[in-house]
Amino acid sequence: MPKYTILFLLSSIQWIYSQSVQFEKSIATAFEKAKANNKIVFIEYYNTDCSICKSIEPLFDNPEIAAFYNSNFVNYKMNLKNGLKGPDSLFMAQTKLKFSGVPFFLFFDYSKNFIHYSGAKNDVNYILNIGKKALNKEERLGNVENKYNAGDRSIKTLYSYTDLLQLQQDYAMANKVTSQLYEVYPKQNLSSHQSYLILKNAVTSIDNGFFKYWYENKDKLTGFEKGSNSGTEIKLLEQIVIQSIRNEKQDWDLSKIKEVKQMTVNLGMSKDGNDFLWEDEVSLLLKYKENDEAQSLFKHLLNQSQNIYSSIYITDYFLNRTEEPIVIQTILATIQELLKSKMEAEQKGDLLLQELICYQKMKDITSFNLKKQTALDFYKKSGLNPQAIHQL
């Protein structure tokens, strides 16, 4: 055997069985080597300031882990400290996957197709099993969509597919799959730790059966978290409510908004339910000319207002969404009462402008002209820009 061949083989064996996992210096090099050797790329997605990441780092010097990862993967570290930059940032943007926090172990084929991912912890067998799953085509998370499309509706497949869809930020499909997961889930096990984990890791909608169960059985939602997280289980329901508000409220009617407002009260997120959805409720009340209810909410919000800034925002929000004379009269009376208070010139200028808009909407030309001159005099005296007034 030629001498250089022997040296190459010896160096390759030494590399594979070295005492440390060998990480490439760039992501481009990692994928080039993976393609040349028909291997999978393993990416440690981490942050050097992360305590868990620091605890995992010594494991890359473990001989068993080093031998396994060096022989099966081309390895690369992606450090999120100070944010991703350059090729790393571009690569993650192209994957269209969103990971919350660190650390994660990511796996891609040499064509940059996503294969698998997992959280990580300081445990040799756990780290080895992550890699083994990535090598197993049946166990890979990236294969779960094919299983689902082939008709697999097992709990394991539905749970895994929801995980993938959340990574892909396809929340509508994730909600659909999580609903299917609830349909097949044994109802006698709804109070179990497994059910809690599904709530924690898969559910993002208040319309999901798992959420409804735990919301209606809040007294059972305890004892699942340990250590510093002990007693935080109820926070999951709050997080899901907030996610639903953020992602679904545009499709809600008045009845649904009131239902969710009551949820925020029952979960201790709000005293009166107006901390999250009052703007959406106002818009629908005024849209459907529920004037009495709109005025009642208007007065309640003003009574709860903590300062002149929030009061001005409330009057402005209502005024921009109604043409109803009875509602405008209520707004006008409130504005005129607020003008009696002490405030900065900018705030008084905003209220004087709102007052003019009220008269304009009510087609009270005489009052409009009289108040317009008063407002212009104040703007000039206070050094404010009168352009908004002139545009009326």
Side-chain angles (χ1 to χ4, degrees):
M1 182 179 295
K3 182 177 180 181
Y4 70 87
T5 303
I6 295 174
L7 290 174
F8 174 79
L9 289 173
L10 288 174
S11 64
S12 297
I13 293 170
Q14 182 180 12
W15 178 78
I16 291 173
Y17 292 100
S18 62
Q19 296 299 303
S20 300
V21 175
Q22 302 298 303
F23 290 96
E24 302 302 328
K25 293 183 178 180
S26 73
I27 195 163
T29 301
F31 278 101
E32 287 170 4
K33 288 190 174 182
K35 185 173 183 179
N37 294 280
N38 192 27
K39 285 187 174 183
I40 293 169
V41 173
F42 156 60
I43 298 175
E44 184 198 10
Y45 189 80
Y46 77 114
N47 185 322
T48 48
D49 290 339
C50 158
S51 59
I52 299 176
C53 304
K54 290 177 182 178
S55 73
I56 291 171
E57 190 63 25
L59 295 185
F60 292 125
D61 295 324
N62 177 280
E64 187 177 6
I65 290 177
F68 181 80
Y69 274 77
N70 288 338
S71 61
N72 289 292
F73 308 111
V74 177
N75 310 298
Y76 179 68
K77 281 178 170 288
M78 189 173 285
N79 189 358
L80 273 72
K81 184 176 181 179
N82 300 322
L84 294 178
K85 297 179 177 63
D88 288 356
S89 176
L90 179 61
F91 172 77
M92 289 308 300
Q94 289 172 339
T95 69
K96 297 181 179 180
L97 302 174
K98 184 178 180 181
F99 296 92
S100 299
V102 289
F104 287 108
F105 281 18
L106 317 181
F107 299 86
F108 297 85
D109 68 21
Y110 61 71
S111 297
K112 301 182 180 180
N113 297 308
F114 172 73
I115 287 179
H116 189 64
Y117 97 106
S118 174
K121 64 180 181 180
N122 183 0
D123 182 281
V124 171
N125 289 328
Y126 190 88
I127 299 298
L128 289 171
N129 285 331
I130 293 173
K132 290 174 182 178
K133 279 191 175 182
L135 293 172
N136 187 329
K137 292 182 180 180
E138 290 300 312
E139 293 293 324
R140 294 173 181 172
L141 185 62
N143 188 49
V144 72
E145 183 176 4
N146 294 330
K147 291 182 178 180
Y148 178 85
N149 289 335
D152 185 345
R153 295 297 185 269
S154 64
I155 291 174
K156 181 179 179 180
T157 294
L158 292 172
Y159 181 76
S160 297
Y161 191 30
T162 300
D163 189 12
L164 177 61
L165 289 166
Q166 289 181 353
L167 287 181
Q168 296 169 338
Q169 302 176 72
D170 188 347
Y171 300 115
M173 186 63 182
N175 286 338
K176 175 182 176 179
V177 175
T178 312
S179 294
Q180 293 172 334
L181 176 55
Y182 178 76
E183 290 173 7
V184 301
Y185 194 79
K187 302 304 180 285
Q188 67 271 21
N189 295 338
L190 280 172
S191 61
S192 68
H193 185 259
Q194 183 188 55
S195 171
Y196 171 74
L197 290 177
I198 293 173
L199 178 78
K200 181 178 181 178
N201 298 320
V203 177
T204 60
S205 172
I206 59 174
D207 293 323
N208 181 268
F210 288 100
F211 175 87
K212 291 179 178 179
Y213 171 81
W214 286 111
Y215 176 73
E216 293 167 0
N217 294 273
K218 292 185 285 292
D219 57 313
K220 298 180 181 179
L221 193 56
T222 183
F224 297 112
E225 298 290 347
K226 306 299 180 184
S228 60
N229 291 325
S230 179
T232 63
E233 292 87 352
I234 196 71
K235 295 292 183 183
L236 283 179
L237 299 181
E238 298 176 20
Q239 292 169 12
I240 294 169
V241 169
I242 291 172
Q243 285 179 298
S244 280
I245 290 173
R246 183 173 62 243
N247 298 327
E248 302 169 17
K249 67 177 184 178
Q250 67 275 7
D251 298 321
W252 291 346
D253 58 16
L254 272 171
S255 175
K256 188 67 173 182
I257 286 176
K258 291 176 181 179
E259 175 190 342
V260 178
K261 284 178 63 176
Q262 188 58 51
M263 280 184 183
T264 66
V265 173
N266 294 344
L267 290 171
M269 302 166 65
S270 173
K271 290 183 179 180
D272 58 7
N274 289 318
D275 292 84
F276 300 95
L277 288 164
W278 73 261
E279 291 103 325
D280 305 275
E281 184 177 13
V282 166
S283 297
L284 290 176
L285 287 172
L286 294 175
K287 177 181 178 180
Y288 296 113
K289 303 187 186 305
E290 300 287 348
N291 296 329
D292 290 342
E293 195 171 348
Q295 289 182 92
S296 177
L297 179 56
F298 176 74
K299 293 173 182 177
H300 176 76
L301 291 168
L302 265 297
N303 287 335
Q304 297 297 314
S305 175
Q306 300 295 313
N307 53 59
I308 189 65
Y309 302 99
S310 61
S311 297
I312 291 173
Y313 177 73
I314 293 166
T315 54
D316 183 67
Y317 194 89
F318 273 78
L319 185 57
N320 287 331
R321 286 161 179 79
T322 185
E323 301 294 331
E324 293 295 307
I326 189 170
V327 179
I328 295 172
Q329 287 172 1
T330 300
I331 297 170
L332 177 60
T334 300
I335 290 170
Q336 292 174 337
E337 191 64 31
L338 289 171
L339 281 168
K340 298 175 183 178
S341 306
K342 288 184 178 181
M343 67 191 77
E344 296 177 2
E346 289 82 359
Q347 280 70 59
K348 186 172 182 178
D350 288 341
L351 287 172
L352 289 172
L353 177 62
Q354 289 182 21
E355 184 181 38
L356 287 174
I357 295 172
C358 286
Y359 284 123
Q360 187 180 59
K361 287 194 171 190
M362 293 190 300
K363 297 181 172 53
D364 185 345
I365 305 303
T366 301
S367 297
F368 175 83
N369 290 331
L370 179 63
K371 293 292 184 177
K372 181 177 182 180
Q373 189 57 53
T374 301
L376 286 171
D377 291 343
F378 176 81
Y379 269 60
K380 183 177 180 180
K381 178 182 177 181
S382 303
L384 301 175
N385 186 346
Q387 183 179 358
I389 293 178
H390 288 306
Q391 289 176 341
L392 294 177

